[in-house]
Amino acid sequence: MKRLTSVDIATFILAIFESINTMSDAISQIQAAYNALEDRILLKIKTHNDQLYSAWITRRYMSLLVPALQGQHPQTGDPLFGGRKLNMAAAAKQNAPDSDFESAFTPPEDPHYPLGEAPILLTRITFKGLDSDNPQLNLEPEEGPGIALPFQPQLMNILWKVFSQALNSAEWQLDLKAILQLPSTSSLQ
């Protein structure tokens, strides 16, 4: 097994999302760590009932994922949600109370692997229910099941913070200027 080399391993507990059941259980921890040997980011999501989802994120995939986390279509930059407005600064403040970005990721004692023990390689991003009250962001491999997450402002901001730390370690120098210089109020799809 290859050892992860990461300057900043971002982890946190998401007590704010205990009522979310998009996966078979609520999220308890998320980690994104850059692996220099693989030149990829390993995403791990642990739930309260010890399910562990793990997936590799490539540079190309991350360049598509970042706009999606900001509520923009990954290829066109168009807003995903035409009618609802999102104040990104307010959403970022709302996720802070119970989030812990300093603690180490704690593997489950008796893990269950819904996607298998080996990390899947993410290749597609799909959205479901954008017109509903419960939109989903689906992170998927070429074939087989992927990771379905609720597309909520607080969770998207937390994911962005976790990925930002991994991206600093990766030094991929993605051209994200247009995305990162969004006004404080933007449309959320």
Side-chain angles (χ1 to χ4, degrees):
M1 178 174 234
K2 295 179 182 173
R3 186 168 188 243
L4 292 179
T5 58
S6 171
V7 176
D8 295 315
I9 296 178
T11 63
F12 55 92
I13 298 173
L14 297 173
I16 204 167
F17 296 106
E18 288 190 14
S19 63
I20 298 170
N21 291 316
T22 302
M23 296 179 188
S24 64
D25 192 20
I27 297 170
S28 87
Q29 283 189 305
I30 297 177
Q31 176 190 50
Y34 176 66
N35 182 313
L37 295 174
E38 296 280 348
D39 193 27
R40 308 188 263 197
I41 292 173
L42 181 60
L43 172 66
K44 291 183 181 179
I45 299 175
K46 181 177 94 172
T47 67
H48 285 291
N49 69 352
D50 289 340
Q51 290 184 339
L52 188 60
Y53 298 80
S54 53
W56 287 114
I57 298 177
T58 64
R59 181 185 316 223
R60 179 194 148 287
Y61 191 85
M62 184 61 76
S63 69
L64 297 172
L65 183 57
V66 169
L69 294 176
Q70 299 292 326
Q72 296 179 353
H73 189 280
Q75 294 172 327
T76 66
D78 294 338
L80 293 173
F81 298 93
R84 291 185 275 176
K85 295 287 184 184
L86 168 69
N87 185 322
M88 296 299 278
K93 288 178 185 174
Q94 289 176 358
N95 70 32
D98 294 323
S99 299
D100 175 6
F101 292 90
E102 303 301 324
S103 297
F105 186 84
T106 308
E109 289 181 25
D110 185 23
H112 304 280
Y113 300 95
L115 304 176
E117 286 191 42
I120 60 173
L121 177 62
L122 298 177
T123 60
R124 295 185 313 212
I125 299 171
T126 59
F127 301 93
K128 291 187 178 177
L130 291 179
D131 296 332
S132 74
D133 290 337
N134 299 308
Q136 277 187 337
L137 171 66
N138 296 322
L139 312 176
E140 303 171 332
E142 191 63 31
E143 294 181 8
I147 302 169
L149 299 169
F151 197 73
Q152 297 178 344
Q154 294 96 347
L155 180 57
M156 296 304 109
N157 275 297
I158 288 172
L159 284 171
W160 171 240
K161 286 180 184 179
V162 170
F163 288 137
S164 293
Q165 292 180 354
L167 284 169
N168 285 339
S169 297
E171 298 179 352
W172 282 345
Q173 300 177 357
L174 300 176
D175 185 18
L176 303 174
K177 291 178 185 168
I179 300 301
L180 299 177
Q181 295 176 358
L182 290 173
S184 63
T185 302
S186 62
S187 294
L188 172 66
Q189 309 309 349

